[in-house]
Amino acid sequence: MLNMELQANESTVEETEIAEEPFYLSSGNEQRVFLAAYKRRLPLLLKGPTGCGKTRFVEAMAYKLNKVLTKVSLDKEAGELKAKVSDFSARKSFLVTVPCHEDLTANDLVGRFFLTMDQGAQWVDGPLTKAARYGGICYLDEIVEARKDVTVLLHSLTDYRRVLPLTKKGTVVTPPPSFMLIVSYNPGYQSALKDLKPSTKQRFVALDFDYPDERAEVEVVRRESGCPEGLARSLVAAGRKIRGLKTQGLTEGVSTRLLIYAASLVVEGVPKEDAVRTTLVSPLTDDEHMKLSLLDICRGFDLA
Amino acid sequence: MLNMELQANESTVEETEIAEEPFYLSSGNEQRVFLAAYKRRLPLLLKGPTGCGKTRFVEAMAYKLNKVLTKVSLDKEAGELKAKVSDFSARKSFLVTVPCHEDLTANDLVGRFFLTMDQGAQWVDGPLTKAARYGGICYLDEIVEARKDVTVLLHSLTDYRRVLPLTKKGTVVTPPPSFMLIVSYNPGYQSALKDLKPSTKQRFVALDFDYPDERAEVEVVRRESGCPEGLARSLVAAGRKIRGLKTQGLTEGVSTRLLIYAASLVVEGVPKEDAVRTTLVSPLTDDEHMKLSLLDICRGFDLA
Amino acid sequence: MLNMELQANESTVEETEIAEEPFYLSSGNEQRVFLAAYKRRLPLLLKGPTGCGKTRFVEAMAYKLNKVLTKVSLDKEAGELKAKVSDFSARKSFLVTVPCHEDLTANDLVGRFFLTMDQGAQWVDGPLTKAARYGGICYLDEIVEARKDVTVLLHSLTDYRRVLPLTKKGTVVTPPPSFMLIVSYNPGYQSALKDLKPSTKQRFVALDFDYPDERAEVEVVRRESGCPEGLARSLVAAGRKIRGLKTQGLTEGVSTRLLIYAASLVVEGVPKEDAVRTTLVSPLTDDEHMKLSLLDICRGFDLA
Amino acid sequence: MLNMELQANESTVEETEIAEEPFYLSSGNEQRVFLAAYKRRLPLLLKGPTGCGKTRFVEAMAYKLNKVLTKVSLDKEAGELKAKVSDFSARKSFLVTVPCHEDLTANDLVGRFFLTMDQGAQWVDGPLTKAARYGGICYLDEIVEARKDVTVLLHSLTDYRRVLPLTKKGTVVTPPPSFMLIVSYNPGYQSALKDLKPSTKQRFVALDFDYPDERAEVEVVRRESGCPEGLARSLVAAGRKIRGLKTQGLTEGVSTRLLIYAASLVVEGVPKEDAVRTTLVSPLTDDEHMKLSLLDICRGFDLA
Amino acid sequence: MLNMELQANESTVEETEIAEEPFYLSSGNEQRVFLAAYKRRLPLLLKGPTGCGKTRFVEAMAYKLNKVLTKVSLDKEAGELKAKVSDFSARKSFLVTVPCHEDLTANDLVGRFFLTMDQGAQWVDGPLTKAARYGGICYLDEIVEARKDVTVLLHSLTDYRRVLPLTKKGTVVTPPPSFMLIVSYNPGYQSALKDLKPSTKQRFVALDFDYPDERAEVEVVRRESGCPEGLARSLVAAGRKIRGLKTQGLTEGVSTRLLIYAASLVVEGVPKEDAVRTTLVSPLTDDEHMKLSLLDICRGFDLA
Amino acid sequence: MLNMELQANESTVEETEIAEEPFYLSSGNEQRVFLAAYKRRLPLLLKGPTGCGKTRFVEAMAYKLNKVLTKVSLDKEAGELKAKVSDFSARKSFLVTVPCHEDLTANDLVGRFFLTMDQGAQWVDGPLTKAARYGGICYLDEIVEARKDVTVLLHSLTDYRRVLPLTKKGTVVTPPPSFMLIVSYNPGYQSALKDLKPSTKQRFVALDFDYPDERAEVEVVRRESGCPEGLARSLVAAGRKIRGLKTQGLTEGVSTRLLIYAASLVVEGVPKEDAVRTTLVSPLTDDEHMKLSLLDICRGFDLA
């Protein structure tokens, strides 16, 4: 019987420390562009397919910029709602990542008033305001999914004013130089309905991302799954061939993450065929013919 | 006159014990994949038609992993809203199943603040947070039905960060290793509007499910209905023939559950024709011609 | 001058007694199927056109199963919101009928918290929870009209788990054996947008209903209106002929109810032509040509 | 200078007395059908174009049935919200008219809980519940405009159960015999989206209405406007000719009400041409050609 | 440097005095029709293009009817919410103008309950109720923009009942004779979705409005801008020629208001070409060709 | 390691001072028109593409009009909600900019009641009301994005009444002469659904904006980025050529802002090709062919 039961850890967004340097293999000048943009206080737009490393790049750069937090002891007894504003000011800068979705509104990012019994309405910063106030990095993942009031909210942060209006509170936050706004989107499946307006896009320096090159990907798969190099090579080769099918009916090629999943299952003793079937085939398509094609590709690399 | 009236039992989600091992007939390596994924902390996606045993599989595996709860005495007088957080921490791990639907939001899964008279706003965990906090299994049934903010919420739980942000509360829950996320969906009737995004699907190890094979299905029907083996054989044979009509106008083949219903009614003395008409025919279609075809199939197996 | 003014009677849902046995003419094995399903705890789906007797069938069966309520004295002064839970437990089982509509949500069926001044938030059961808690029958009329979150809510009640999750309260109700769930729908005018999903339909034993046969319908019209048998015969004959027009532009044939209306008006001294015009013609169509056709049919039976 | 300034009168719905018998000219057996339906407790559906006298018919019949209210002294100081239930029971029956619209919900008709400071949540009856409780007539004008939850709410009131469920309160009102439900709709401009379902229509006795005949209409115009008979004759003749244009581009013919307006303006000294232009022409159409045609018709009757 | 900074004036709706008689040039019998309608208590519908003087007409007539308010000292310290009902009754009649829009609901017009700390829920009249209660004129500008529940709300105010139901409060306001309801709409750009229903239109006396005739318009432009008559003549001549382009791609002709703007800018020293470009060209169209045509017209009158 | 971490500055909207004169190069008579409109109290509409300097123009003019604020010490301890009205009246005039979006309602602009514990409901001015009350300039950026109730709200502010109704509060604000309303919109991508109604547009003096001329743009790029003039010349030349592609598939040409971004990155040491790729190529399009075309253009100016 497996026994992995432990108590969960709950921490405030600001306390979430990136303990060790995230593993990131650079594939061009993206780090140089990042640092130049950071220094010039320009906002960044990351474009690229699912699972190609955009989030990881952001975290690696945040680590480089020393965007970690000292552990601040919150008055847990009093509850989050009563946390004094002074508690926050002692902190160093940080990275906050917000996955965007259709119901994400500007208020979710900016903050809102909470009604408390003893102190009346208390303002609580949202993640974007927290980053703006304490000079952190705010990373809005898949920005096109957010409600439209979010994208226009970004305008005042990304032109020469560089301020964040807290409309409900009637104030304006002028972030310190260390604040940086990063957004990402996947050009692969944008519809006409869901796209950034030109007036929004033109406010960002845009970096294009793609899957890592073959050598780097083998290294990642091996390292993350603990599998032998031979298996990693076969999986990456199969994955690259599968990505080539994208124009033939696959909405999106296989991500590095799924290659790591496959390797991990094999390491745990799952037969290769079951491992690739459940990671490189079934998550990609519901079509039976396409499934057979994918399995055939895997067989060609001795994986099924 | 029938007399079956008793008082209902109401228990907290955490107290719901799976008393006896769920009856599950394995049909491949799905258990091995499950355990490997559990050990590697990979999330699982179950794909397959209605009533083919996905839920049962999850419960059987949860039982295997000892995911049952000791009975915890809640301070019933004080009411759920005042339940102390400490009450929960004494528990062992558990399985929580959430049937998804069009109005299910991220907040329903994550939790919300309740206003109380004497203690101000109190945070109450949603089912996903409960599972994440105490290392349980959270099973989101028919995930594509949920609101879009739910699916993206899953992203941070299914990449290498493996954290659950409680946005309203401003904190992040890092679940213990024993936490597992499982989702299911039915590829049979997904429309363009309701499908998982590739960026979501590619975060899961995916297991394909189908109806049990003939021998196993006869055993299940016999066991669950208490009918003689001959009747079970006829019903299963008819059911398999009906499933073959799927490409000819039936949206979905007959489930094992309906075969058990038919057998149960016959055991209770309902004439065979009425039994199959109300279980294998009428629930499947409103079309009169299709009804006659289905009834003909049943007659071929001496069921009408 | 007519004088029929009396005070209305208001009673809790649970107190509503079906005083005398509802008049129901059986037309097949539907009663036997009902009782077998009840004994086996299988949920029931009633399919059929408007006014063909589905509701009446449910009430007749509920009467047979002794689903009546003893009168429980509610603490009227304290108001419904303060009604003690203990008040309910003394009751016998009951039938609760819920007409579904586009704005009916799962919360309407399950229950919600009410804020009270002196006791904070108090949970109040919805009709489905009441039935599940005390082992009553819950009849959801025209289920396809309800919001989608209702239909999926039914899933856990209709598979082998047979439990009702009270998500907002964080508990699960396991109903006693005497609880039964019945839903109805009219296959005549379902659109693609409003249909039960196969995964929902396949959880029910389904009974098909239709208008009563000629002899039975004459008896019903005579009995309910107090009209002479000759008039009842003419009306039923005209009604059956009108139903034959359904494929020629009528959305739905004339119901038994309207035949009773016609007979009642004649009994009250309204001329036959006015009686049929206002009951068999005008409620069925706004089209002037169709109106003339319907009136012609009535004339053929000496009704105009 | 005109001086007509007085204080408005505000009264509760129940106090609104119909002081004198409404002027209504019968044109068939509609009164007989009404009284038969009232005696048999059958609900009524009134069909017909705008301004043809449906509301007036209802009020005249209500007057005939003595549906007036004694003046009940409400405790004005305490406010409506604290009005004791006992205050209502002393009243005689009444008519309550509800114009339906797209945002009218079942709750608006049935009632809701109001939060009060000193007594917690207090139930306040909606107009339909008031009529059902005290045996009044409830007239829902233009029922197809209401939200769908309203129409299905009517079902339990219009079949043999004849009860009104107060879902939020958890009770059921069984109205006394004197309660009557009347709805109206205009078949002239129903779209596919806005129509009564057959299952709703078939619950009503339906009366067709049309404009009054020529003689009656002249009498109405003369009486209501105080104009000489010659003018009334000319206006009615023009009005009838205009109604004939309905198939040639007019959405709806001119109502009796507009004929009265025209006569009233002339009585007040407005030149005939201005009077008909602002009442028989401009309210009917925005099309310049149609306006000229309408004015020509008026000229033909010496009205311009 | 310009210096025009002063403190704003805030006053209750009822206090807003029309200090001097609005400048209005009559162009027909519209004043006579207005007064006849007022005396006969008939509601008024004003039809016509943007900026042709509908609002001004209403205000001029209100002035004529002495619809001004004495200054009532409100208990400012106590706040509007605590304003005693008795405060209002001392006032004389008034005009209240409500610009309608897509989110304007019946409640916005009628009023609502406000929760106060010390007195529980307090009813606050909306602008329509205020007018109805104290016999003022209520002018609903661009009525078709309002939500549908608003238009039907008007029905009871515009037929022979002439009452305003306060549904939420459960009462009915019967306005004094001096109450008048006026609505306006612009037939130029109504779509099928946004139009008054015939059953609504036929409840009003309708007055058609158009731009003033040439001589009157020159007088208005001169008077309002303070420009020399020659310039006013040129501008009006150009404006009338531009209005002739309406069938050739302009959605709407130029309003008198824009002619006044042009004259004002020239008076302030702006070169003629810049003045007409920013007032007679750019506000009318985004199309470059149309802009050139408009500018050409202006040149023809020596304006560019 | 870069170190730019400082504390953010939060100030009330009114305190936001424009410390130094914004850099603005005039390109016509737009300043003269602005000042004439300001003096005549006419509202202004700015039309033009993204990033062509509309906002900057407004801020430069506001600076000219001395629209800066003295620093007012707010009672920070007591919180914004308790800020006394008297605090505001001491201030001088100011500029408030509101970026509009789909969820921006009239209430967001006008203000709302906040419930406080000790003082009951307190009114808090929205940004438009603040500007109207204290004679500031209110600039509504991208006005067509706002909800429709916003645009009609502007009507009373832009005709001869020049008042702002606070509907919820029941009062009317008459702004001092120094109040000015400015709105902007981009005619480039308005759809039929999102456009200003003619009745709204015709209330404004409209100024057309476009990108600055070549010489001015080179100066702006050089000044804002600190790059050598040669690079600025090349970038501006490339930018102007790219703008010429607008009819060949680019939704919008490159903004001056992006040219500054490109220059800034080069100044920070990013290779030219990476700099133009991330600023002049990737933010403009997702199309690979278009990307190559854009890169080719840049190469033509020795930028890649």
Side-chain angles (χ1 to χ4, degrees), chain D residues 129-143:
Chain D
T129 306
K130 277 184 180 157
R133 195 186 292 286
Y134 305 111
I137 295 176
C138 184
Y139 175 41
L140 304 177
D141 197 13
E142 303 209 32
I143 184 72

Side-chain angles (χ1 to χ4, degrees), chain F residues 235-279:
Chain F
L235 285 166
V236 168
R240 293 173 73 87
K241 191 149 189 187
I242 287 170
R243 283 170 198 155
L245 293 182
K246 203 178 155 181
T247 53
Q248 291 156 57
L250 270 191
T251 316
E252 193 155 84
V254 69
S255 66
T256 307
R257 182 185 296 122
L258 285 176
L259 300 176
I260 299 169
Y261 281 12
S264 301
L265 292 183
V266 173
V267 169
E268 292 301 325
V270 173
K272 274 188 200 166
E273 174 156 350
D274 289 310
V276 297
R277 208 189 274 278
T278 60
T279 56

Side-chain angles (χ1 to χ4, degrees), chain B residues 196-207:
Chain B
L196 288 179
K197 290 192 298 180
S199 68
T200 304
K201 272 192 204 165
Q202 295 213 1
R203 292 158 180 279
F204 291 88
V205 171
L207 275 170

Side-chain angles (χ1 to χ4, degrees), chain D residues 199-211:
Chain D
S199 67
T200 303
K201 273 191 203 166
Q202 295 214 1
R203 292 159 180 277
F204 290 88
V205 171
L207 275 170
D208 286 294
F209 278 75
D210 209 340
Y211 299 112

